[in-house]
Amino acid sequence: NAGVTQTPKFQVLKTGQSMTLQCAQDMNHEYMSWYRQDPGMGLRLIHYSVGAGITDQGEVPNGYNVSRSTTEDFPLRLLSAAPSQTSVYFCASKTLMSGELFFGEGSRLTVL
Amino acid sequence: DAKTTQPPSMDCAEGRAANLPCNHSTISGNEYVYWYRQIHSQGPQYIIHGLKNNETNEMASLIITEDRKSSTLILPHATLRDTAVYYCIVRVLGSGGSNYKLTFGKGTLLTVNP
């Protein structure tokens, strides 16, 4: 039972480069979301989706794009990475009506 | 949406009960109290939730005051592996609102000492 899988676990980028953080879940959850966590901070919501083709902004969406073409996958794109995007990123999923979120193990991104 | 207030840190001796408080004085009648924890560098993990009755599962107990303005998460016999940041969250279940834009504060860092 894989749950929520994030790749890569670690990534180093140079300023201005682009990349995609991948997130996949095998629990048939309608809801998926991305968070970032900076040292000493709680988790801040970047984007979320309540189903294929439906996405919406969270608390800190600037600099990030998302799409949801399938129920299973919810990639997070950084089009032009900035040092301020150095963070640990967590993907999470749940059923629509539930409050119980299932988190991935995180992706640690460093932008130089 | 109701805000929550938690102490930034707490200590507990191994084998003793850890009692983590959370204040949610503006909670509304249809909002649930959820607890998660985050062990260092890992993704947060769901622990327990409740509406107004006390709840218990294999991980912890949740005590909600009668006026629902505060709650306490109890780890009955804390171990070193329970050292983590514990988040108290209030949310409405169902579609939209706080159940979609789920926010986590800074939580309480519980340190279990040998």
Side-chain angles (χ1 to χ4, degrees):
Chain A
N1 188 5
V4 179
T5 303
Q6 292 183 232
T7 56
K9 287 186 170 46
F10 300 94
Q11 182 72 49
V12 179
L13 289 178
K14 294 181 179 178
T15 297
Q17 286 185 318
S18 63
M19 78 155 301
T20 299
L21 297 177
Q22 301 290 346
C23 177
Q25 53 91 10
D26 62 359
M27 297 173 282
N28 202 31
H29 287 165
E30 305 98 329
Y31 178 96
M32 297 185 74
S33 57
W34 278 101
Y35 289 85
R36 62 175 289 173
Q37 186 171 37
D38 302 303
M41 303 284 288
L43 291 94
R44 292 185 291 170
L45 181 65
I46 304 171
H47 286 285
Y48 68 94
S49 168
V50 297
I54 305 170
T55 64
D56 204 347
Q57 296 181 348
E59 184 184 359
V60 289
N62 293 338
Y64 306 95
N65 283 347
V66 291
S67 60
R68 183 97 179 268
S69 56
T70 67
T71 300
E72 294 78 20
D73 300 298
F74 191 44
L76 179 72
R77 297 184 185 85
L78 288 73
L79 296 180
S80 179
S84 61
Q85 294 178 305
T86 293
S87 190
V88 180
Y89 292 85
F90 289 99
C91 180
S93 73
K94 70 181 187 75
T95 62
L96 270 185
M97 303 302 282
S98 166
E100 182 181 347
L101 267 176
F102 293 80
F103 283 84
E105 294 185 355
S107 298
R108 185 175 297 273
L109 175 66
T110 301
V111 183
L112 302 174
Chain B
D1 298 334
K3 285 192 169 182
T4 61
T5 304
Q6 298 178 253
S9 64
M10 294 182 64
D11 285 335
C12 177
E14 188 177 18
R16 304 297 293 269
N19 297 282
L20 295 102
C22 179
N23 181 287
H24 31 79
S25 58
T26 61
I27 193 170
S28 60
N30 61 346
E31 288 184 307
Y32 287 71
V33 180
Y34 272 75
W35 283 84
Y36 286 78
R37 75 178 182 183
Q38 185 176 24
I39 296 171
H40 181 62
S41 298
Q42 298 180 17
Q45 174 192 23
Y46 163 83
I47 301 173
I48 198 168
H49 74 280
L51 182 62
K52 53 184 176 181
N53 297 322
N54 298 338
E55 302 286 345
T56 296
N57 63 20
E58 65 278 5
M59 290 182 67
S61 294
L62 174 61
I63 308 298
I64 302 174
T65 58
E66 193 168 341
D67 63 7
R68 303 208 324 121
K69 292 185 177 181
S70 66
S71 60
T72 301
L73 179 75
I74 301 172
L75 308 179
H77 304 287
T79 70
L80 299 179
R81 287 177 291 181
D82 292 321
T83 292
V85 176
Y86 288 77
Y87 299 98
C88 169
I89 298 153
V90 173
R91 69 174 60 138
V92 174
L93 288 188
S95 59
S98 63
N99 199 27
Y100 287 179
K101 292 193 174 184
L102 307 168
T103 57
F104 292 74
K106 295 185 181 181
T108 297
L109 173 60
L110 173 69
T111 303
V112 180
N113 300 305

